Each structure stands twice: as C-alpha cells, then as structure tokens.
Amino acid sequence: GAGVSQSPSNKVTEKGKDVELRCDPISGHTALYWYRQSLGQGLEFLIYFQGNSAPDKSGLPSDRFSAERTGGSVSTLTIQRTQQEDSAVYLCASSSPPGYEQYFGPGTRLTVT
Amino acid sequence: QKEVEQDPGPLSVPEGAIVSLNCTYSNSAFQYFMWYRQYSRKGPELLMYTYSSGNKEDGRFTAQVDKSSKYISLFIRDSQPSDSATYLCADSGASGGSYIPTFGRGTSLIVHP
C-alpha cells in the first residue's frame, strides 16, 4: 500500500519568508509525528497528533513553528519568518496505534538562504 | 530526560562479517523497541520492531532486547555493501498520555567489499 508522502521534496526559501510543508500519512493511521533532522544530527521531535486530541507541541522550537492536521489525515507544518538555522530535513511519520512502529516519509529538505 | 544512547561510529566491517549494533535506553516504562535504517538523503526505513524482551529474526537481521540491562541490539549476518547506512534505534510507549518515541542518534555502518 501507499506509504507516507511528503511535499515538496526540496524547498529553498529566503530568510524571513514563510513556508508550508505537507505530510500525507498512511491511510488509517491515527498518530502523526513531525521531526527535524539537521545535517549529521539525530531526530528532533517537533509535534505529535493523535486522533482528535489536542496535539503535543512540546518539541516546537519557537512560536514561529506551527502545525495542523485536517480531518485526521493530512498535516501541514508551517514555519513563519524562516531563519537560516531552520535549514534541515523535516520528516513526517505515522503509526497506528500510537506508540507502535512508525513509518517515515522521505522528508522535505529545507534550505533557508 | 529519558534517553537512548547509541555509539555514532562509524563502524567499518568487511563484507560477510557479522555486525552488532547496540543501544541502551533509560525509560523502563517503554515496552516497544524499533530499529530503522537510513540511507544518505533518505527518510528512516523501519527494519524491525520488538515488544518487551526477547529476540526477533527476519532474514539476515536479528533484534534482541534485554530489559534487565536496558540493552537493545541488532545483529546483521553476512553483511553486504548495501547494508552501509545509518542505523537508528528507538523505544516507545505511553508516557504521561503521549506516545512519543525516543530515538538514538544513529550508528553509521560501512561494509566494504
């Protein structure tokens, strides 16, 4: 079946611009996660959605970062007023039930110039 | 802060060798353990997952969990150059109502012909 998809695969933006990254989880997966991976670094947890519950935003690095999940499926991660330190690969993963094995998308490589 | 510790490597082995990759974890409440393989510029790919203690085998790969010592291992038999990648371990479970896995930083494996 279809896996997790993310778009765009690459995004180059100027400092100060806003960007939106999209994630389509595996159909039927109730849990959705966003992570950030900087070059040579581990996975940094950003935000977690589970069903209709309020998301766990404990990993968001600043108030410039936000995310939403519409209809319990597609999710969008928005970064406002991008900074050069936001340059990284943004990964989305889904699982069902929550806490079980996660399946990752290919990631969006964000470069802020 | 609950953590998963992993030696970053690189671990360099000749083709055909048996590879042992290891992690230690600290959150004894977590019961679910996962191994991911990540090729350069790709998203993590789920290799294996285990629940609680014991072994699980899949082809050339064996995952092992020792809860008494909080030790997670992945063994690769007859290693191939195509196994060259970064291997991430993770543990997961319910913590404070959230199901957010904890990932190790990854071990870089190089299998040379």
Side-chain angles (χ1 to χ4, degrees):
Chain A
V4 178
S5 61
Q6 292 186 245
S7 60
S9 55
N10 283 283
K11 177 71 176 179
V12 180
T13 190
E14 292 180 353
K15 178 182 173 181
K17 300 284 190 183
D18 298 351
V19 295
E20 283 190 353
L21 312 179
R22 177 187 168 103
C23 171
D24 276 276
I26 292 173
S27 178
H29 277 196
T30 58
L32 186 149
Y33 304 78
W34 282 98
Y35 297 90
R36 179 168 69 176
Q37 189 174 40
S38 301
L39 188 62
Q41 301 299 309
L43 292 172
E44 176 187 3
F45 164 74
L46 296 177
I47 188 169
Y48 156 61
F49 294 89
Q50 168 53 31
N52 295 320
S53 302
D56 184 327
K57 306 178 183 179
S58 59
L60 294 178
S62 77
D63 59 7
R64 296 186 296 105
F65 288 73
S66 63
E68 63 177 22
R69 188 178 185 190
T70 54
S73 181
V74 172
S75 178
T76 302
L77 177 69
T78 301
I79 308 174
Q80 295 178 311
R81 304 180 303 281
T82 52
Q83 304 294 312
Q84 288 187 328
E85 60 263 28
D86 299 335
S87 296
V89 175
Y90 289 81
L91 291 158
C92 175
S94 70
S95 72
S96 191
Y100 282 62
E101 66 276 15
Q102 297 188 339
Y103 295 87
F104 282 83
T108 293
R109 183 171 300 274
L110 175 66
T111 303
V112 182
T113 61
Chain B
Q1 176 73 25
K2 303 295 186 181
E3 293 189 345
V4 174
E5 299 289 340
Q6 204 175 354
D7 187 327
L11 176 63
S12 182
V13 301
E15 182 175 356
I18 297 174
V19 175
S20 173
L21 302 169
N22 306 293
C23 294
T24 58
Y25 66 96
S26 60
N27 191 341
S28 56
F30 280 9
Q31 300 272 349
Y32 213 73
F33 305 95
M34 297 164 279
W35 282 97
Y36 290 85
R37 177 174 62 195
Q38 187 173 24
Y39 292 113
S40 181
R41 304 180 74 87
K42 300 287 186 183
E45 169 196 4
L46 179 68
L47 268 181
M48 298 187 72
Y49 56 91
T50 56
Y51 182 76
S52 194
S53 285
N55 291 2
K56 184 174 183 178
E57 187 173 320
D58 184 1
R60 297 185 296 112
F61 298 89
T62 299
Q64 189 174 80
V65 177
D66 183 344
K67 295 203 75 179
S68 62
S69 58
K70 295 183 182 175
Y71 210 69
I72 316 166
S73 300
L74 179 70
F75 300 97
I76 307 174
R77 292 181 296 281
D78 186 25
S79 56
Q80 304 295 309
S82 59
D83 295 328
S84 298
T86 296
Y87 290 79
L88 302 165
C89 60
D91 66 355
S92 184
S95 179
S98 280
Y99 295 84
I100 301 170
T102 304
F103 284 85
R105 293 170 64 88
T107 299
S108 175
L109 172 66
I110 301 168
V111 182
H112 51 86

Coordinates of all heavy atoms in Angstrom, one line a residue, chain B residues 5-77:
Chain B
E5 N 20.9 5.9 24.1 CA 22.3 6.1 23.8 C 22.8 5.1 22.7 O 22.5 3.9 22.8 CB 23.1 6.0 25.1 CG 22.8 6.9 26.2 CD 23.2 8.3 25.9 OE1 24.1 8.5 25.0 OE2 22.6 9.3 26.5
Q6 N 23.5 5.7 21.8 CA 24.0 4.9 20.7 C 25.4 5.4 20.3 O 25.6 6.6 20.1 CB 23.0 5.0 19.5 CG 22.9 4.0 18.6 CD 21.8 4.1 17.5 OE1 21.0 5.0 17.5 NE2 21.9 3.2 16.5
D7 N 26.3 4.5 20.0 CA 27.6 4.9 19.6 C 27.5 5.3 18.1 O 27.0 4.6 17.3 CB 28.6 3.7 19.7 CG 30.0 4.1 19.4 OD1 30.3 5.0 18.5 OD2 30.9 3.4 20.0
P8 N 28.0 6.5 17.8 CA 27.8 7.1 16.5 C 28.7 6.4 15.4 O 28.4 6.5 14.2 CB 28.2 8.5 16.6 CG 29.1 8.6 17.8 CD 28.6 7.5 18.7
G9 N 29.7 5.7 15.8 CA 30.6 5.1 14.8 C 31.5 6.1 14.2 O 31.8 7.1 14.8
P10 N 32.0 5.9 13.0 CA 31.5 4.8 12.1 C 32.1 3.5 12.4 O 33.1 3.4 13.0 CB 32.0 5.3 10.7 CG 33.2 6.1 11.0 CD 32.9 6.8 12.3
L11 N 31.3 2.5 12.1 CA 31.7 1.1 12.3 C 32.0 0.5 10.9 O 31.1 0.5 10.0 CB 30.5 0.3 12.9 CG 30.7 -1.2 13.1 CD1 31.9 -1.5 14.0 CD2 29.5 -1.9 13.7
S12 N 33.2 0.1 10.7 CA 33.6 -0.3 9.3 C 33.9 -1.8 9.4 O 34.8 -2.2 10.2 CB 34.9 0.5 8.9 OG 35.2 0.0 7.6
V13 N 33.3 -2.6 8.5 CA 33.5 -4.1 8.6 C 33.7 -4.6 7.1 O 33.2 -3.9 6.2 CB 32.3 -4.8 9.2 CG1 32.1 -4.3 10.7 CG2 31.0 -4.6 8.4
P14 N 34.3 -5.7 7.0 CA 34.4 -6.3 5.6 C 33.1 -7.0 5.3 O 32.3 -7.5 6.1 CB 35.5 -7.3 5.8 CG 35.5 -7.7 7.2 CD 35.1 -6.5 8.0
E15 N 32.8 -7.1 4.0 CA 31.7 -7.8 3.5 C 31.7 -9.3 4.1 O 32.7 -9.9 4.1 CB 31.7 -7.9 2.0 CG 30.5 -8.6 1.3 CD 30.6 -8.5 -0.2 OE1 31.5 -7.8 -0.7 OE2 29.7 -9.0 -0.8
G16 N 30.5 -9.7 4.5 CA 30.3 -11.0 5.0 C 30.5 -11.1 6.5 O 30.1 -12.1 7.1
A17 N 30.9 -10.0 7.2 CA 31.1 -10.0 8.6 C 29.7 -10.0 9.3 O 28.7 -9.6 8.8 CB 31.9 -8.8 9.1
I18 N 29.7 -10.4 10.6 CA 28.5 -10.3 11.4 C 28.7 -8.9 12.2 O 29.7 -8.6 12.8 CB 28.4 -11.4 12.5 CG1 28.2 -12.8 11.8 CG2 27.3 -11.2 13.4 CD1 28.3 -14.0 12.7
V19 N 27.6 -8.1 12.0 CA 27.6 -6.8 12.6 C 26.7 -6.8 13.9 O 25.7 -7.4 13.9 CB 27.1 -5.8 11.6 CG1 27.0 -4.4 12.3 CG2 28.0 -5.7 10.4
S20 N 27.2 -6.2 14.9 CA 26.5 -6.0 16.1 C 26.3 -4.5 16.4 O 27.3 -3.8 16.6 CB 27.2 -6.7 17.3 OG 26.5 -6.4 18.5
L21 N 25.1 -4.0 16.4 CA 24.8 -2.6 16.7 C 24.0 -2.6 18.0 O 23.1 -3.4 18.3 CB 23.9 -2.0 15.6 CG 24.5 -2.1 14.2 CD1 23.5 -1.7 13.2 CD2 25.8 -1.2 14.1
N22 N 24.3 -1.6 18.9 CA 23.8 -1.7 20.2 C 23.3 -0.3 20.7 O 23.8 0.7 20.3 CB 24.9 -2.2 21.2 CG 25.4 -3.5 20.8 OD1 24.7 -4.5 20.8 ND2 26.7 -3.5 20.4
C23 N 22.3 -0.3 21.6 CA 21.8 0.9 22.2 C 21.5 0.6 23.7 O 21.1 -0.6 24.0 CB 20.5 1.3 21.5 SG 20.7 1.9 19.9
T24 N 21.5 1.6 24.5 CA 21.0 1.5 25.8 C 19.9 2.5 26.0 O 19.9 3.6 25.4 CB 22.1 1.7 26.9 OG1 22.6 3.0 26.7 CG2 23.2 0.7 26.8
Y25 N 18.9 2.1 26.8 CA 17.8 3.1 27.0 C 17.5 3.2 28.5 O 18.0 2.5 29.3 CB 16.5 2.5 26.3 CG 15.9 1.3 26.8 CD1 14.9 1.3 27.8 CD2 16.4 0.0 26.4 CE1 14.4 0.1 28.3 CE2 15.9 -1.1 26.9 CZ 14.9 -1.1 27.9 OH 14.4 -2.3 28.4
S26 N 16.8 4.3 28.8 CA 16.6 4.6 30.2 C 15.2 4.5 30.7 O 14.9 4.4 31.9 CB 17.2 6.0 30.6 OG 16.5 7.0 29.8
N27 N 14.2 4.6 29.8 CA 12.8 4.6 30.2 C 12.3 3.2 30.3 O 11.9 2.6 29.3 CB 12.0 5.4 29.1 CG 10.6 5.7 29.6 OD1 10.1 5.1 30.6 ND2 9.9 6.7 29.0
S28 N 12.3 2.7 31.5 CA 11.8 1.4 31.8 C 10.4 1.2 31.5 O 9.9 0.0 31.4 CB 12.2 0.9 33.2 OG 11.6 1.8 34.1
A29 N 9.6 2.2 31.4 CA 8.2 2.1 31.1 C 7.9 1.8 29.7 O 6.8 1.3 29.4 CB 7.5 3.4 31.5
F30 N 8.8 2.0 28.8 CA 8.6 1.8 27.4 C 8.8 0.3 27.1 O 9.7 -0.3 27.6 CB 9.6 2.6 26.6 CG 9.1 4.0 26.3 CD1 8.0 4.5 27.0 CD2 9.8 4.8 25.5 CE1 7.6 5.9 26.8 CE2 9.4 6.2 25.3 CZ 8.3 6.7 25.9
Q31 N 8.0 -0.3 26.3 CA 7.9 -1.7 26.0 C 8.2 -2.0 24.6 O 8.3 -3.2 24.2 CB 6.6 -2.3 26.4 CG 6.2 -2.1 27.8 CD 6.6 -3.2 28.7 OE1 7.1 -4.2 28.2 NE2 6.6 -3.1 30.0
Y32 N 8.3 -1.0 23.7 CA 8.3 -1.2 22.3 C 9.6 -0.7 21.7 O 10.0 0.4 22.0 CB 7.1 -0.5 21.6 CG 6.6 -1.2 20.4 CD1 5.8 -2.3 20.6 CD2 6.8 -0.7 19.2 CE1 5.3 -3.0 19.5 CE2 6.3 -1.3 18.1 CZ 5.5 -2.5 18.2 OH 5.0 -3.1 17.1
F33 N 10.3 -1.5 21.0 CA 11.6 -1.2 20.5 C 11.7 -1.3 19.0 O 11.2 -2.3 18.5 CB 12.7 -2.0 21.2 CG 12.6 -1.9 22.7 CD1 11.8 -2.9 23.4 CD2 13.1 -0.9 23.4 CE1 11.7 -2.8 24.8 CE2 13.0 -0.8 24.8 CZ 12.3 -1.7 25.5
M34 N 12.4 -0.4 18.4 CA 12.4 -0.4 16.9 C 13.8 -0.1 16.4 O 14.6 0.6 17.1 CB 11.5 0.8 16.4 CG 10.0 0.6 16.7 SD 9.1 2.1 16.5 CE 9.4 2.9 18.1
W35 N 14.1 -0.6 15.2 CA 15.4 -0.3 14.5 C 15.0 0.2 13.1 O 14.1 -0.3 12.4 CB 16.2 -1.6 14.3 CG 17.0 -2.0 15.6 CD1 16.6 -2.9 16.5 CD2 18.2 -1.4 16.0 NE1 17.6 -2.9 17.5 CE2 18.6 -2.0 17.2 CE3 19.1 -0.4 15.5 CZ2 19.7 -1.7 17.9 CZ3 20.2 -0.1 16.2 CH2 20.6 -0.8 17.4
Y36 N 15.7 1.3 12.8 CA 15.5 1.9 11.5 C 16.8 1.9 10.7 O 17.9 2.1 11.3 CB 15.0 3.3 11.6 CG 13.6 3.4 12.1 CD1 13.3 3.4 13.5 CD2 12.5 3.5 11.2 CE1 12.0 3.4 13.9 CE2 11.2 3.6 11.7 CZ 10.9 3.5 13.0 OH 9.6 3.6 13.5
R37 N 16.7 1.9 9.4 CA 17.9 2.1 8.6 C 17.7 3.3 7.8 O 16.6 3.5 7.2 CB 18.1 0.9 7.6 CG 19.2 1.0 6.6 CD 19.3 -0.3 5.9 NE 18.2 -0.7 5.1 CZ 17.9 -1.8 4.6 NH1 18.8 -2.8 4.7 NH2 16.8 -2.0 3.9
Q38 N 18.7 4.2 7.7 CA 18.6 5.4 7.0 C 19.8 5.6 6.0 O 20.9 5.7 6.5 CB 18.5 6.6 7.9 CG 18.2 7.9 7.2 CD 18.0 9.1 8.1 OE1 18.4 9.1 9.3 NE2 17.2 10.1 7.7
Y39 N 19.4 5.6 4.7 CA 20.5 5.8 3.7 C 20.6 7.4 3.6 O 19.7 8.1 3.9 CB 20.1 5.2 2.4 CG 20.1 3.7 2.4 CD1 18.9 3.0 2.2 CD2 21.3 3.0 2.5 CE1 18.9 1.6 2.2 CE2 21.3 1.7 2.4 CZ 20.2 0.9 2.3 OH 20.2 -0.4 2.3
S40 N 21.7 7.8 3.1 CA 22.0 9.2 2.9 C 20.9 9.9 2.1 O 20.5 9.4 1.1 CB 23.4 9.4 2.2 OG 23.7 10.7 2.1
R41 N 20.4 11.0 2.6 CA 19.4 11.8 2.0 C 18.1 11.1 1.8 O 17.3 11.4 0.9 CB 20.0 12.3 0.6 CG 21.3 13.1 0.8 CD 21.8 13.6 -0.5 NE 21.0 14.8 -1.0 CZ 21.3 16.0 -0.7 NH1 22.3 16.3 0.1 NH2 20.5 17.0 -1.1
K42 N 17.8 10.1 2.6 CA 16.5 9.4 2.6 C 15.9 9.5 4.0 O 16.6 9.7 5.0 CB 16.7 8.0 2.2 CG 17.3 7.8 0.8 CD 16.4 8.1 -0.3 CE 17.0 7.8 -1.7 NZ 16.0 8.1 -2.8
G43 N 14.6 9.1 4.1 CA 13.9 9.0 5.4 C 14.3 7.7 6.0 O 14.6 6.7 5.3
P44 N 14.1 7.6 7.3 CA 14.4 6.3 8.0 C 13.4 5.3 7.5 O 12.2 5.5 7.4 CB 14.2 6.7 9.5 CG 14.3 8.2 9.6 CD 13.8 8.7 8.3
E45 N 13.9 4.1 7.4 CA 13.1 2.9 7.0 C 13.0 1.9 8.1 O 14.0 1.5 8.6 CB 13.8 2.3 5.7 CG 13.2 0.9 5.3 CD 14.2 0.2 4.3 OE1 15.3 0.8 4.1 OE2 13.8 -0.9 3.9
L46 N 11.8 1.5 8.5 CA 11.6 0.6 9.6 C 12.2 -0.8 9.2 O 11.8 -1.3 8.2 CB 10.2 0.5 9.9 CG 9.8 -0.5 11.0 CD1 10.4 0.0 12.4 CD2 8.3 -0.7 11.1
L47 N 13.1 -1.3 10.0 CA 13.7 -2.6 9.8 C 13.0 -3.7 10.6 O 12.6 -4.7 10.1 CB 15.2 -2.6 10.2 CG 16.2 -2.3 9.1 CD1 17.6 -2.3 9.7 CD2 16.1 -3.2 7.9
M48 N 13.0 -3.4 11.9 CA 12.4 -4.4 12.8 C 11.8 -3.7 14.0 O 12.3 -2.7 14.4 CB 13.5 -5.4 13.2 CG 14.1 -6.2 12.1 SD 15.2 -7.5 12.7 CE 14.0 -8.6 13.4
Y49 N 10.9 -4.4 14.7 CA 10.4 -3.9 15.9 C 10.1 -5.1 16.8 O 9.8 -6.2 16.3 CB 9.1 -3.1 15.8 CG 8.0 -3.8 15.0 CD1 7.0 -4.5 15.7 CD2 7.9 -3.7 13.7 CE1 6.0 -5.1 15.0 CE2 6.9 -4.3 13.0 CZ 5.9 -5.0 13.7 OH 4.9 -5.7 13.0
T50 N 10.3 -4.9 18.1 CA 10.1 -6.0 19.1 C 9.3 -5.4 20.3 O 9.4 -4.2 20.5 CB 11.4 -6.6 19.6 OG1 12.2 -5.5 20.2 CG2 12.1 -7.3 18.5
Y51 N 8.6 -6.3 20.9 CA 7.8 -5.9 22.1 C 8.4 -6.6 23.3 O 8.5 -7.8 23.3 CB 6.3 -6.2 21.9 CG 5.5 -5.8 23.1 CD1 5.1 -4.5 23.2 CD2 5.0 -6.7 24.0 CE1 4.3 -4.1 24.3 CE2 4.2 -6.3 25.1 CZ 3.9 -5.0 25.2 OH 3.1 -4.6 26.3
S52 N 8.7 -5.8 24.3 CA 9.2 -6.4 25.6 C 10.6 -7.1 25.3 O 11.3 -6.6 24.5 CB 8.2 -7.3 26.2 OG 8.6 -7.5 27.6
S53 N 10.8 -8.1 26.0 CA 12.1 -8.8 25.9 C 12.1 -9.9 24.9 O 11.1 -10.3 24.4 CB 12.6 -9.4 27.2 OG 13.0 -8.4 28.1
G54 N 13.3 -10.3 24.5 CA 13.4 -11.5 23.6 C 14.0 -11.1 22.3 O 14.5 -10.0 22.1
N55 N 14.0 -12.1 21.4 CA 14.6 -12.0 20.1 C 13.6 -12.0 19.0 O 12.5 -12.6 19.2 CB 15.6 -13.2 19.9 CG 16.8 -13.1 20.7 OD1 17.0 -12.2 21.5 ND2 17.7 -14.1 20.5
K56 N 13.9 -11.4 17.9 CA 13.1 -11.5 16.7 C 14.0 -11.5 15.5 O 14.9 -10.7 15.4 CB 12.2 -10.3 16.6 CG 11.2 -10.3 15.4 CD 10.2 -9.1 15.5 CE 9.2 -9.2 14.4 NZ 8.2 -8.1 14.5
E57 N 13.7 -12.5 14.6 CA 14.6 -12.7 13.5 C 13.8 -12.4 12.2 O 12.7 -12.8 12.0 CB 15.1 -14.1 13.5 CG 16.2 -14.4 12.5 CD 16.8 -15.8 12.6 OE1 17.1 -16.2 13.8 OE2 17.0 -16.5 11.6
D58 N 14.5 -11.8 11.2 CA 13.9 -11.6 9.9 C 15.1 -11.6 8.9 O 15.8 -10.6 8.8 CB 13.2 -10.2 9.9 CG 12.5 -9.9 8.6 OD1 12.6 -10.8 7.7 OD2 11.9 -8.9 8.4
G59 N 15.2 -12.7 8.2 CA 16.3 -12.9 7.3 C 17.6 -12.8 7.9 O 17.9 -13.5 8.9
R60 N 18.4 -11.9 7.4 CA 19.8 -11.7 8.0 C 19.8 -10.9 9.3 O 20.9 -10.7 9.8 CB 20.7 -11.0 6.9 CG 20.9 -11.9 5.7 CD 21.9 -11.2 4.7 NE 21.4 -9.9 4.2 CZ 21.9 -8.8 4.5 NH1 23.0 -8.7 5.3 NH2 21.5 -7.7 3.9
F61 N 18.7 -10.3 9.7 CA 18.6 -9.4 10.8 C 18.0 -10.1 12.0 O 17.0 -10.8 11.9 CB 17.8 -8.2 10.4 CG 18.3 -7.4 9.3 CD1 18.0 -7.7 8.0 CD2 19.2 -6.4 9.5 CE1 18.6 -7.0 6.9 CE2 19.8 -5.6 8.5 CZ 19.4 -5.9 7.2
T62 N 18.6 -9.8 13.2 CA 18.0 -10.3 14.4 C 18.0 -9.1 15.4 O 19.1 -8.5 15.6 CB 18.9 -11.4 15.0 OG1 18.8 -12.5 14.2 CG2 18.3 -11.9 16.4
A63 N 16.9 -8.8 16.0 CA 16.7 -7.8 17.0 C 16.6 -8.5 18.4 O 15.9 -9.5 18.5 CB 15.5 -6.9 16.8
Q64 N 17.3 -7.9 19.3 CA 17.3 -8.5 20.7 C 17.1 -7.4 21.7 O 17.7 -6.3 21.6 CB 18.7 -9.2 20.9 CG 18.8 -10.0 22.1 CD 20.1 -10.7 22.1 OE1 21.2 -10.2 22.4 NE2 20.1 -12.0 21.7
V65 N 16.3 -7.7 22.7 CA 16.0 -6.8 23.8 C 16.3 -7.5 25.1 O 15.8 -8.6 25.4 CB 14.6 -6.2 23.8 CG1 14.3 -5.3 25.0 CG2 14.3 -5.5 22.5
D66 N 17.1 -6.8 25.9 CA 17.4 -7.3 27.3 C 16.9 -6.2 28.3 O 17.6 -5.2 28.5 CB 18.9 -7.6 27.5 CG 19.2 -8.2 28.8 OD1 18.3 -8.1 29.8 OD2 20.3 -8.7 29.0
K67 N 15.7 -6.4 28.8 CA 15.1 -5.4 29.7 C 15.8 -5.3 31.0 O 15.8 -4.3 31.7 CB 13.6 -5.6 29.9 CG 12.8 -5.5 28.6 CD 11.4 -5.2 28.9 CE 11.2 -3.8 29.3 NZ 9.7 -3.4 29.6
S68 N 16.4 -6.4 31.5 CA 17.1 -6.3 32.7 C 18.3 -5.4 32.7 O 18.6 -4.7 33.7 CB 17.6 -7.7 33.2 OG 18.5 -8.2 32.2
S69 N 19.0 -5.3 31.5 CA 20.1 -4.4 31.4 C 19.8 -3.2 30.6 O 20.7 -2.3 30.3 CB 21.3 -5.1 30.8 OG 21.0 -5.7 29.5
K70 N 18.6 -3.1 30.1 CA 18.1 -2.0 29.2 C 19.0 -1.8 28.0 O 19.5 -0.7 27.7 CB 18.1 -0.7 30.0 CG 17.0 -0.7 31.2 CD 17.0 0.6 31.9 CE 16.0 0.6 33.0 NZ 16.0 1.8 33.8
Y71 N 19.1 -2.9 27.3 CA 20.1 -3.0 26.2 C 19.3 -3.5 25.0 O 18.5 -4.5 25.1 CB 21.2 -4.0 26.6 CG 22.5 -3.8 25.9 CD1 23.3 -2.7 26.3 CD2 23.0 -4.7 25.0 CE1 24.5 -2.5 25.7 CE2 24.2 -4.5 24.4 CZ 25.0 -3.4 24.8 OH 26.2 -3.3 24.3
I72 N 19.5 -2.8 23.8 CA 18.8 -3.2 22.6 C 19.9 -3.5 21.6 O 20.9 -2.7 21.5 CB 18.0 -2.1 22.0 CG1 17.1 -1.4 23.1 CG2 17.1 -2.6 20.9 CD1 16.5 -0.1 22.6
S73 N 19.8 -4.6 20.9 CA 20.8 -5.0 19.9 C 20.2 -5.3 18.5 O 19.1 -5.8 18.5 CB 21.6 -6.2 20.4 OG 22.3 -5.9 21.6
L74 N 21.0 -5.1 17.5 CA 20.6 -5.5 16.1 C 21.8 -6.2 15.6 O 22.9 -5.7 15.6 CB 20.2 -4.3 15.2 CG 19.9 -4.7 13.8 CD1 18.5 -5.4 13.7 CD2 19.8 -3.5 12.9
F75 N 21.6 -7.5 15.1 CA 22.7 -8.2 14.5 C 22.4 -8.4 13.0 O 21.3 -8.7 12.6 CB 22.8 -9.6 15.2 CG 23.1 -9.6 16.7 CD1 22.1 -9.7 17.6 CD2 24.4 -9.4 17.1 CE1 22.3 -9.6 18.9 CE2 24.7 -9.3 18.5 CZ 23.6 -9.4 19.4
I76 N 23.4 -8.2 12.2 CA 23.3 -8.4 10.8 C 24.3 -9.5 10.4 O 25.5 -9.3 10.6 CB 23.6 -7.1 10.0 CG1 22.8 -5.9 10.5 CG2 23.4 -7.3 8.5 CD1 23.1 -4.6 9.9
R77 N 23.8 -10.5 9.9 CA 24.6 -11.6 9.4 C 25.0 -11.4 7.9 O 24.2 -10.8 7.2 CB 23.9 -13.0 9.6 CG 23.7 -13.4 11.0 CD 23.0 -14.8 11.1 NE 21.7 -14.7 10.5 CZ 20.6 -14.2 11.1 NH1 20.7 -13.7 12.3 NH2 19.4 -14.2 10.5

